[in-house]
Each structure stands twice: as structure tokens, then as C-alpha cells.
Amino acid sequence: MFREDDFQYALENTRVVRAPAQAIQTFGTTSFRFTLVSELLDHVNRVRVRDGRIHAEKPTILSPHNYSKLLLDGFGENARGYADWLEAHGSHLRFLRYGFQFRKTDVSEEIVNAPKEEVIERMEKRLDHAEDPMATLIDGVDDAWEVCLLKFTVELIQRSAGENMDEWKRRGFI
């Protein structure tokens, strides 16, 4: 089990070398290929390269009414008052809900005997030749690599939210 320091270390040492060219699609599911490069602990010039896919479900708009129902899931009666207030005063509030599925079965990994920066350069060239606009390259931490991947997904959601909201507004959904 990780300590809070381990999470913080992973968050601080995650670098998205190449982000996907596109944001999360507003009206469909989106699949991103990731390559995550991390140095093995206690080994010089040994790097683990993980490849896999992240599947983002289409974002949904939550109105205050629907949000209050989600908010109350697992809460007692004391939360009902806040949910009622939210429904009464939140006519202009809209929330986006993003869902990700991370399938470990899609992940492959290999150990490479080379300096990490050299491996990252090779992976960038590989992505250039693959011409996959949905591919991402992440420099991360080996033990907490899933934290690195989650940090990437949160940043992708933040980047996509504005575009998704603008598209919903143009189409009159909000």
C-alpha cells in the first residue's frame, strides 16, 4: 500500500511528454493509446515501458436534480437539505461527468536496458511514425505508474471540459 508521500512523489514526477492531439469526444467514446516510461528502482539504465489503452466514456451533463441524486448516494438524511437547496438554486449549474475504463488486460510491458531519456526519444520517434493522433507518451514513476496514468486522465478531462461545454452550448443542450 502506498503512503501519501508516494502519491505526492508520483504526481510531482509525472510528465506528459506528448499529449493526444484531440480532446475527449463530446458525443462518443474515445480511446487513447498510452506509453508510460519509468526507471526501475535500484537499477542503473533499466527502464520499464508500458503500453496500453485508456477508454473514455462520453461525458454527460448532470443537472442539479441528477447531481443531487448522485450526491446522496451512500449519505444519510442530513444530506437531503443540501440536495434540496442545490435543486432549488442551481438552475444555471451544470456539471460534466467523465468516466474512464482502465483495462489492465490491455497493458503490455517490457524492460529496456538504456538510459530513460534515450528510451523516451525512441518512443517519440515511434509515435511520429505511427501517426496516431490519440497516442500519449508519459514519463512516470515505476511503482506508482497507475497514479501517473490517473494524473494524465485528470489533466485530459480538464483540457477537454471547455471544448465539450462549448459544443453542447452550440447545439443548444445547455
Side-chain angles (χ1 to χ4, degrees), residues 46-60:
R46 290 199 57 173
V47 176
R48 187 180 325 266
V49 178
R50 291 180 173 94
D51 286 300
R53 293 196 89 67
I54 299 173
H55 302 278
E57 298 168 358
K58 72 177 182 173
T60 55

Side-chain angles (χ1 to χ4, degrees), residues 23-130:
I24 296 170
Q25 293 181 21
T26 304
F27 296 103
T29 58
T30 310
S31 181
F32 299 95
R33 178 171 170 251
F34 71 87
T35 301
L36 192 139
V37 179
S38 57
E39 287 181 303
L40 294 176
L41 298 176
D42 302 326
H43 292 88
V44 177
N45 293 334
R46 290 199 57 173
V47 176
R48 187 180 325 266
V49 178
R50 291 180 173 94
D51 286 300
R53 293 196 89 67
I54 299 173
H55 302 278
E57 298 168 358
K58 72 177 182 173
T60 55
I61 303 170
L62 296 178
S63 67
H65 176 73
N66 291 331
Y67 183 72
S68 69
K69 287 181 180 178
L70 287 176
L71 183 69
L72 293 176
D73 188 27
F75 286 83
E77 286 300 312
N78 291 336
R80 181 77 242 163
Y82 177 68
D84 290 343
W85 179 89
L86 187 63
E87 285 184 48
H89 296 91
S91 62
H92 298 293
L93 295 176
R94 297 291 181 264
F95 302 92
L96 298 183
R97 179 178 180 210
Y98 291 87
F100 282 88
Q101 290 183 338
F102 175 65
R103 297 184 191 129
K104 286 190 179 188
T105 56
D106 294 344
V107 176
S108 65
E109 62 180 62
E110 69 175 297
I111 304 297
V112 179
N113 294 310
K116 182 167 76 166
E117 288 307 317
E118 183 180 305
V119 174
I120 288 173
E121 285 180 32
R122 274 193 253 157
M123 295 298 112
E124 279 188 286
K125 287 179 183 174
R126 184 185 296 173
L127 291 178
D128 287 342
H129 287 78

